[in-house]
Amino acid sequence: MVQIEDIENEILSYDYKITRAEKSLEEARQHYEESRSELERAESAHQQKGNSDTERELHKARHGFKMAERGVDSRTRRVEFIRENYGELQADLNKARDAVARGEQRISEQELKIEKMVNTMLARADAAKRQASAKKAAAPVGKPEVPAPSVAAVEPQKPEAAAEPEREIDPELLEYVRGEKDRLAKLLAGGEEGKHTFRTLDLEPSRGESIPFEFLGHNQYRLVAPVESGRQTYEINTWKFRRTIPSDDDGVRYVFIFDGRRLSRPRLVMYPEYVLDYLKD
């Protein structure tokens, strides 16, 4: 869901970019047609008169036409580049939505399994209770009354030192973390780190003290901190990010990656630190 939110924000920015780029291209095409008309007039005038003034105007018209032609070419490439990126974002969005749909399907299947298990346990407990009542009613006269079975006798006994089950990692989460980890590695492998954009960059959680980010280079910042479950608001300097933390991750350490390359729309990547143990190098 976080990935979908990020992609949708990117698509919104590209909607604005494509509108401006197409408008700029249309203006460049109009200027191109005007420059071509001026060049034709200058060529005709120079052929008729052929003096220094017409030669100067012809040179000026040719230069203007060449610049207009370059303007159309550059703006056409920009429109194509934006449309290509837009298409890739749309494909990523569809892929992320499919992943969410698969996750919801798995949740539905798990809920159905849990419901069946609970019903089975209740039925067994009810049958045990009825059996105990029947034995009590059939007990011979004069014998000591048989006490009713306790809750402990009805309910299945749990081992005293049951091992905590291994955490199940959602494959979509694993793929998301792998992609973000690879993205960061490729970016940081690009040579110079660059200058700090921020004098200080701190994370302000919903509750608790602020935590400073570590500068990694290329406007990438990182920290690791425990999180609380539920709907949380994380404030980083003047930006606010809302995230929903699963109940199973209450108190779990999360990795925070702040991508500040584009200050108009920065990104906050978050994922549980334990997922890194499941990634293969």
Side-chain angles (χ1 to χ4, degrees):
M1 292 298 295
V2 170
Q3 188 176 17
I4 288 176
E5 183 181 84
D6 290 340
I7 296 174
E8 286 177 341
N9 288 336
E10 288 285 335
I11 287 178
L12 285 176
S13 68
Y14 271 91
D15 284 336
Y16 176 71
K17 288 180 180 178
I18 191 64
T19 300
R20 292 193 59 184
E22 288 177 343
K23 181 180 179 181
S24 179
L25 176 59
E26 182 61 29
E27 292 174 351
R29 286 172 175 168
Q30 293 178 1
H31 180 60
Y32 172 82
E33 293 299 330
E34 293 172 356
S35 299
R36 185 171 63 177
S37 298
E38 292 178 2
L39 176 59
E40 291 175 352
R41 286 194 297 268
E43 289 175 341
S44 176
H46 186 62
Q47 288 176 359
Q48 292 177 5
K49 298 181 180 180
N51 54 38
S52 59
D53 292 336
T54 58
E55 184 177 1
R56 184 169 55 253
E57 290 298 324
L58 178 59
H59 178 75
K60 181 180 177 181
R62 284 175 177 172
H63 177 73
F65 178 74
K66 184 179 295 185
M67 296 302 295
E69 192 174 33
R70 289 181 181 177
V72 171
D73 290 341
S74 63
R75 285 165 176 80
T76 300
R77 287 195 299 269
R78 175 167 174 75
V79 169
E80 292 174 351
F81 174 77
I82 293 175
R83 286 176 177 170
E84 181 179 354
N85 286 350
Y86 186 91
E88 292 177 355
L89 285 171
Q90 194 64 50
D92 291 342
L93 179 61
N94 293 335
K95 182 179 178 181
R97 285 174 174 169
D98 290 341
V100 170
R102 290 193 298 271
E104 290 176 345
Q105 178 64 28
R106 286 196 298 271
I107 291 174
S108 178
E109 293 172 356
Q110 290 293 329
E111 288 177 342
L112 184 60
K113 289 181 181 179
I114 291 172
E115 183 180 359
K116 290 181 179 179
M117 290 175 61
V118 169
N119 290 337
T120 301
M121 292 174 64
L122 291 176
R124 289 177 179 175
D126 187 57
K129 184 177 180 181
R130 288 198 305 268
Q131 185 179 5
S133 299
K135 287 182 178 180
K136 180 180 178 182
V141 179
K143 290 186 177 182
E145 184 177 4
V146 179
S150 64
V151 176
V154 176
E155 295 182 350
Q157 296 295 321
K158 296 182 180 179
E160 293 183 0
E164 184 178 351
E166 185 178 356
R167 184 186 292 270
E168 183 179 356
I169 302 298
D170 184 86
E172 307 298 344
L173 173 61
L174 195 64
E175 188 64 25
Y176 172 73
V177 175
R178 180 180 287 108
E180 289 297 335
K181 189 171 178 290
D182 292 344
R183 177 198 67 83
L184 185 61
K186 291 179 181 178
L187 184 63
L188 297 182
E192 297 181 359
E193 293 185 352
K195 297 181 180 179
H196 286 263
T197 302
F198 310 98
R199 179 174 298 177
T200 58
L201 190 69
D202 297 327
L203 171 69
E204 297 283 349
S206 300
R207 287 184 292 183
E209 298 181 355
S210 62
I211 308 170
F213 276 90
E214 173 192 2
F215 177 65
L216 302 178
H218 297 278
N219 279 324
Q220 305 296 302
Y221 301 81
R222 183 182 188 273
L223 66 81
V224 180
V227 297
E228 294 184 8
S229 61
R231 188 68 168 170
Q232 304 293 332
T233 299
Y234 298 100
E235 185 172 347
I236 302 176
N237 286 17
T238 59
W239 296 282
K240 291 184 179 180
F241 301 89
R242 290 178 175 84
R243 297 289 188 267
T244 300
I245 307 300
S247 57
D248 289 346
D249 287 348
D250 188 51
V252 170
R253 285 163 57 89
Y254 263 54
V255 176
F256 294 76
I257 303 293
F258 182 81
D259 184 355
R261 288 176 296 173
R262 190 177 62 181
L263 298 181
S264 60
R265 198 182 296 275
R267 294 179 66 233
L268 176 63
V269 176
M270 291 178 56
Y271 52 81
E273 188 181 31
Y274 60 76
V275 179
L276 297 176
D277 296 334
Y278 292 82
L279 293 179
K280 296 181 180 179
D281 295 333

